[in-house]
Amino acid sequence: MSEVALQARGVSISFGGLKAVSGFDLTLEKGSLQGLIGPNGAGKTTLFNLVTGVYTPSEGTIHLGSQRIDGMRPHQITRRGLARTFQNIRLFPDLRVIDNVMVAAQTHMKHGLVPTILRTGGYRREQLAIERRARELLSIFNLQGLAGEQAKNLPYGHQRRLEMARALATDPKVLLLDEPAAGMNPQEKLGLASLIAKLRKEFDLTILLIEHDMGLVMDICEQITVLDYGVVIASGPPKKIQNDPRVIEAYLGTPMTNEE
């Protein structure tokens, strides 16, 4: 039996009486790459916020591996091995590129407040190790030559890659990518698809991807879950999803007929 990396069961949440997500079920097997799609307002980012502790579900459970995480705070969930990127980039714009990555890597620092204040030998060694790790990650994303630049000065596509590098600096087991191809040109999207495949293999990651670019989703995801108005309307491999009349109706707004 395959090992489960992330599982949601019966997850729901309401805002002002409106059910944003209702009875959501999802199982991510270890090492899998799955997609989460749906029209605008379907509840995809809300679901990411539930999984990462930004919101607490009113119903249902979420497990990361064998550990239940619903109700935990975001930093607690991050330390247990779940990281994410955001639809709207959330870098520290005035910090250097390398500092953006180092801040994330410090999630797992072993030294406490006193060694940090006193700058003990152990603290300095740990900081050097974090810097080395940050430079390794920047190299993977072809950003090593920009380590000293302020994050806000990077081109948009580079900022997207930096956000992914920062997420990986937390040493995740599961990575949630929220529209990583947004704003990218076709060539950048091709590079992104190769990069995601490379990261999955090299870091032994389990990945859940929200993306509006259907070509990208269909090319790289093994399983796809479709949300509409907070409810799962379809789930399965790409070919099945492409031909599902409920999915087509959700995107086009009209029921499918047999007429040509």
Side-chain angles (χ1 to χ4, degrees), residues 11-14 19-24 42-43 46-47 50 227 229-231:
V11 171
S12 302
I13 191 170
S14 299
K19 213 147 199 181
V21 175
S22 181
F24 181 85
T46 298
L47 198 283
L50 286 163
L227 272 180
Y229 295 107
V231 177

Side-chain angles (χ1 to χ4, degrees), residues 38-260:
N40 288 330
K44 303 181 298 295
T45 296
T46 298
L47 198 283
F48 268 25
N49 287 336
L50 286 163
V51 172
T52 56
V54 177
Y55 301 146
T56 299
S58 55
E59 300 173 45
T61 60
I62 303 170
H63 284 79
L64 182 63
S66 61
Q67 188 163 22
R68 185 170 174 176
I69 60 172
D70 53 281
M72 288 187 181
R73 298 189 177 192
H75 72 274
Q76 295 172 319
I77 294 173
T78 299
R79 286 177 180 167
R80 283 160 177 78
L82 191 150
R84 72 175 292 183
T85 64
F86 293 87
Q87 181 178 354
N88 299 312
I89 296 173
R90 297 189 185 180
L91 299 172
F92 298 109
D94 294 319
L95 290 184
R96 297 183 305 163
V97 166
I98 192 168
D99 292 330
N100 269 271
V101 181
M102 289 180 66
V103 166
Q106 289 169 351
T107 302
H108 297 291
M109 276 192 70
K110 297 180 177 64
H111 289 88
L113 180 62
V114 173
T116 300
I117 293 173
L118 296 178
R119 296 294 194 270
T120 62
Y123 167 83
R124 291 196 299 272
R125 284 191 295 274
E126 189 170 28
Q127 282 295 105
L128 285 172
I130 286 173
E131 182 176 348
R132 282 196 300 272
R133 179 59 175 156
R135 292 189 183 279
E136 288 171 1
L137 287 170
L138 290 179
S139 179
I140 289 170
F141 287 87
N142 293 320
L143 295 172
Q144 66 272 28
L146 300 169
E149 292 285 337
Q150 285 184 304
K152 65 184 179 184
N153 294 332
L154 296 186
Y156 186 83
H158 287 47
Q159 289 188 25
R160 281 279 176 200
R161 289 191 309 205
L162 176 56
E163 192 174 41
M164 292 174 69
R166 188 177 65 175
L168 286 176
T170 66
D171 195 24
K173 302 180 185 73
V174 177
L175 178 62
L176 310 184
L177 299 175
D178 194 346
E179 297 196 32
M184 289 187 175
N185 62 43
Q187 186 174 359
E188 288 173 329
K189 288 177 182 179
L190 285 174
L192 176 66
S194 298
L195 179 61
I196 290 173
K198 176 182 176 183
L199 297 178
R200 176 191 182 192
K201 183 177 180 180
E202 286 193 13
F203 292 88
D204 193 24
L205 289 171
T206 303
I207 299 175
L208 181 61
L209 169 73
I210 291 176
E211 185 51 63
H212 280 295
D213 188 309
M214 290 299 100
L216 178 63
V217 172
M218 297 298 169
D219 283 346
I220 69 173
C221 293
E222 300 143 349
Q223 294 284 321
I224 299 170
T225 298
V226 187
L227 272 180
D228 191 27
Y229 295 107
V231 177
V232 175
I233 61 170
S235 183
K239 190 171 182 180
K240 175 185 174 185
I241 296 302
Q242 283 178 311
N243 297 310
D244 191 305
R246 293 167 299 176
V247 177
I248 296 169
E249 181 180 347
Y251 274 96
L252 298 181
T254 55
M256 291 291 292
T257 69
N258 293 325
E259 298 178 2
E260 292 292 326

